[in-house]
Amino acid sequence: PLPKQELARAISSRRLAPGVIHTAIRDPKGPWRIHVVSVEPGQASSVDVALANDVLPGWEKVSSMAKRHGAVAAINADFATESGRPVHTFAEDGRLMQTPLAPGLNFSVNAQETETRLDRATESVRLVLPDGTEARIGRVNAGLPGPRRLGL
């Protein structure tokens, strides 16, 4: 641990918005700068997700996405393929945009934007025809389906 006087110089915090605090940490033992944004759920601020240019696939700078959505802070939250498609499950405001291209953890925000979660996503997508017949959808916006498979 850093001595108290070094620690005091290495950490600074400021309020960005109601319930949102930015903390900057500089570790003088190495060239590390750590930025932490804390959001208190249920306050006037909220946490949300967005796609680059609001489309799949897409590329956009995080700063541009933040500006477009009026965010006070933003992070790049997923890996992407060369085409700009997120690697993991992506859903926004209750709408499944794509099933995962690779297994892994997902960050999610509830519909009220008051709670977050980091966990493995479980999708169950079905097509229901007017006659009541159901078919399981294996993938959504995640490439072409295999033989005898359905994909959206």
Side-chain angles (χ1 to χ4, degrees), residues 136 145-151:
R136 182 181 177 280
R148 301 179 50 86
R149 300 280 182 193
L150 288 174

Side-chain angles (χ1 to χ4, degrees), residues 24-148:
I25 304 167
R26 180 183 53 81
D27 184 346
K29 290 184 178 180
W32 302 299
R33 297 198 190 304
I34 303 162
H35 295 271
V36 178
V37 175
S38 302
V39 179
E40 191 175 328
Q43 293 293 315
S45 298
S46 62
V47 176
D48 205 354
V49 298
L51 284 171
N53 295 307
D54 295 326
V55 296
L56 278 171
W59 289 105
E60 183 179 10
K61 289 184 176 184
V62 175
S63 57
S64 170
M65 294 171 70
K67 184 176 182 182
R68 192 163 40 83
H69 288 277
V72 297
I75 62 166
N76 187 0
D78 198 2
F79 296 102
T81 64
E82 194 172 289
S83 71
R85 184 172 296 281
V87 172
H88 299 101
T89 302
F90 187 90
E92 184 175 11
D93 298 330
R95 183 170 174 223
L96 179 63
M97 303 295 284
Q98 92 167 22
T99 50
L101 303 176
L105 293 175
N106 269 87
F107 171 78
S108 63
V109 181
N110 70 348
Q112 298 77 27
E113 297 178 3
T114 57
E115 295 179 19
T116 60
R117 185 174 176 167
L118 184 64
D119 205 346
R120 296 194 187 283
T122 304
E123 305 87 11
S124 178
V125 183
R126 299 199 181 285
L127 171 67
V128 181
L129 299 173
D131 68 0
T133 305
E134 288 189 23
R136 182 181 177 280
I137 305 295
R139 292 186 281 192
V140 174
N141 286 332
L144 296 173
R148 301 179 50 86

